[in-house]
Amino acid sequence: VSVRFRVELAPGAPRGHEVVVGRGLERELTELLRELAPSGLFVVSDRNVAGLHLPALEAALREGGFAAAPACVLEPGEGSKSPAALVRLWEALLAAGLDRGGVVLALGGGVVGDVAGFAAATWLRGVRVVHLPTTLLAMIDSALGGKTALDLGGAKNQVGAFHPPAGLVADLERLCTLPARERAAGLGEAWKTALLAGEPLLSRAEASAAGARAGDLDALAPLVEGCLRHKAAVVAADERDERGLRALLNLGHTVGHALEAARPALLHGEAVAIGVHVALRLSERLGRAEPGFVPRALTLGHALGLTLAPDRPLELDELRPWLARDKKRGAAGLQWVLPRGPGRAELATADEASVQGALLDVLLRSGAARPR
Ligand SMILES: NC(=O)c1ccc[n+]([C@@H]2O[C@H](COP(=O)([O-])OP(=O)(O)OC[C@H]3O[C@@H](n4cnc5c(N)ncnc54)[C@H](O)[C@@H]3O)[C@@H](O)[C@H]2O)c1
Ligand SMILES: [Zn+2]
């Protein structure tokens, strides 16, 4: 069972790519690759993922009639979004002799996708990359949209390029081996997307929340597909983040990024879920949320098994310096993405007292406590 659709970038332009979502997509992958007619293939992965999923990928490629593809296996973790890892990759590409007609296959989570995508963007001034995401977060978020990045000197995503993929194959079977905590973090981003997308994704998420939380692939499939379709629509309308549409996808990320910095043990999606909770409270305080929306959103968050507050209370002073540093801070002050209703959100500034109130609503609770 699989769904295939096309992402169009800049309407009418001869760019865009295929997205395939489903279970057991070996045939679909080799078909898509045949359409791309690569002069050669090169796989990028990390050690965890390569151990679990590289042999099956290699078998599928062999089965599909492709010559053996060299692979570069990175250390797992954010540390691989580094100039050092990039240089290793470039050198492996050189050794493999990948030419301009070649295709890079990014087999892994968002880390592999970001660094492999950047390597592809810069190798010979740009070769094609096909994303084979293996985490829930990468499937619903990072593999689509063409943003690639490296960290530098402790600053996340400091160096990067827009490099839309030539294809994206989200095979849910790869999630079988994903640790439950990583799955839950991905569901944090799925929650965010369902609130932003509104119907039909929101109701679909409510209906499949229990299954998705338990890792049931058939429950996750419609969520992944819906999140991808929403992001695809946003990216098609605002590829380069110039119209404020793509910025709405940063719902929960203002506080999320500050939390990640203040509590390095938090995963990105975990911090985002708490950040979405703060944004919902802020919307409520500012009178921007339509009646019933915030309780409905929180009920879904709980049904997805998300932890909507830090595991131990956090002082506002721990967050302030990081909030102040938020790169989206414009001349008008910190821009918040405020959720207003299903599929409705806006970018706005907020007064200090409301922000403080919303932060205190969420951050002073312990992770186990249910919001009011
Ligand atoms: N480019 C974008 O638009 C975009 C969007 C969101 C996030 N990101 C980036 O994505 C990164 C986070 O991605 P992530 O959450 O996927 O983290 P990750 O890539 O570090 O993967 C998380 C962990 O799970 C392991 N893993 C991955 N797939 C597995 C599988 N199927 N089975 C078992 N283990 C598996 C990895 O080895 C790693 O240890 C961050 O660097 C973030 O900045 C980029
Ligand atoms: Zn995110």
Side-chain angles (χ1 to χ4, degrees):
V1 236
S2 72
V3 184
R4 180 167 171 157
F5 60 95
R6 207 174 156 74
V7 178
E8 295 298 346
L9 301 171
R15 298 188 305 135
H17 61 84
E18 301 291 315
V19 175
V20 192
V21 189
R23 299 182 59 169
L25 301 181
E26 289 78 10
R27 289 260 305 281
E28 287 76 2
L29 169 63
T30 50
E31 215 168 89
L32 187 144
L33 289 178
R34 261 196 298 277
E35 288 164 22
L36 297 178
S39 59
L41 295 172
F42 183 90
V43 181
V44 182
S45 193
D46 76 25
R47 192 164 24 77
N48 294 340
V49 177
L52 295 162
H53 300 286
L54 185 55
L57 173 62
E58 288 174 337
L61 293 176
R62 215 178 306 121
E63 191 90 351
F66 291 94
C72 183
V73 176
L74 305 170
E75 283 302 304
E78 187 72 22
S80 280
K81 280 175 59 169
S82 66
L86 177 70
V87 169
R88 261 199 64 207
L89 253 176
W90 279 337
E91 282 168 353
L93 285 162
L94 189 66
L98 197 82
D99 65 25
R100 300 205 46 189
V103 167
V104 172
L105 300 176
L107 176 72
V111 165
V112 165
D114 275 7
V115 63
F118 189 72
T122 49
W123 184 246
L124 301 173
R125 298 198 187 90
V127 296
R128 292 168 292 176
V129 60
V130 169
H131 286 292
L132 309 177
T134 64
T135 64
L136 186 55
L137 181 129
M139 286 188 188
I140 65 176
D141 193 1
S142 61
L144 193 98
K147 287 188 182 177
T148 71
L150 301 183
D151 305 334
L152 191 69
K156 259 196 81 132
N157 301 334
Q158 191 60 35
V159 179
F162 281 101
H163 190 59
L168 192 174
V169 180
D171 188 339
L172 284 121
E173 294 292 343
R174 298 209 173 94
L175 298 180
C176 282
T177 56
L178 189 69
R181 186 176 171 196
E182 295 287 349
R183 180 174 71 237
L187 286 174
E189 292 276 4
W191 183 45
K192 174 206 80 175
T193 308
L195 299 178
L196 289 172
E199 303 304 346
L201 180 56
L202 185 57
S203 297
R204 231 194 256 177
E206 287 168 335
S208 56
R213 172 185 188 166
D216 171 7
L217 300 186
D218 291 326
L220 285 166
L223 259 185
V224 170
E225 185 204 336
C227 288
L228 279 171
R229 283 188 188 274
H230 177 72
K231 185 158 183 187
V234 172
V235 168
D238 185 20
E239 188 191 355
R240 300 244 159 186
D241 229 338
E242 291 156 347
R243 298 182 50 205
L245 298 172
R246 220 174 149 164
L248 295 180
L249 293 172
N250 284 328
L251 170 59
H253 283 61
T254 303
V255 167
H257 287 145
L259 271 168
E260 276 185 278
R263 291 273 165 92
L266 279 175
L267 296 178
H268 175 73
E270 293 172 332
V272 166
I274 298 169
V276 170
H277 186 190
V278 173
L280 287 165
R281 292 295 182 209
L282 182 57
S283 230
E284 200 174 43
R285 282 179 174 268
L286 296 171
R288 303 286 178 84
E290 68 182 51
F293 178 61
V294 171
R296 181 181 178 189
L298 293 175
T299 301
L300 175 58
H302 287 299
L304 290 167
L306 304 177
T307 304
L308 299 181
D311 57 349
R312 56 198 159 79
L314 201 122
E315 296 292 330
L316 287 194
D317 287 345
E318 293 179 66
L319 281 194
R320 280 227 176 75
W322 303 106
L323 283 176
R325 212 170 295 185
D326 192 290
K327 67 175 176 219
K328 269 130 217 132
R329 195 187 168 96
L334 205 52
Q335 291 278 318
W336 292 85
V337 182
L338 297 176
R340 306 196 60 180
R344 286 207 304 137
E346 65 181 17
L347 270 179
T349 54
D351 66 276
E352 192 55 36
S354 300
V355 169
Q356 180 153 336
L359 285 169
L360 290 174
D361 279 348
V362 173
L363 302 182
L364 287 183
R365 293 161 192 284
S366 78
R370 302 243 145 170
R372 294 170 278 150

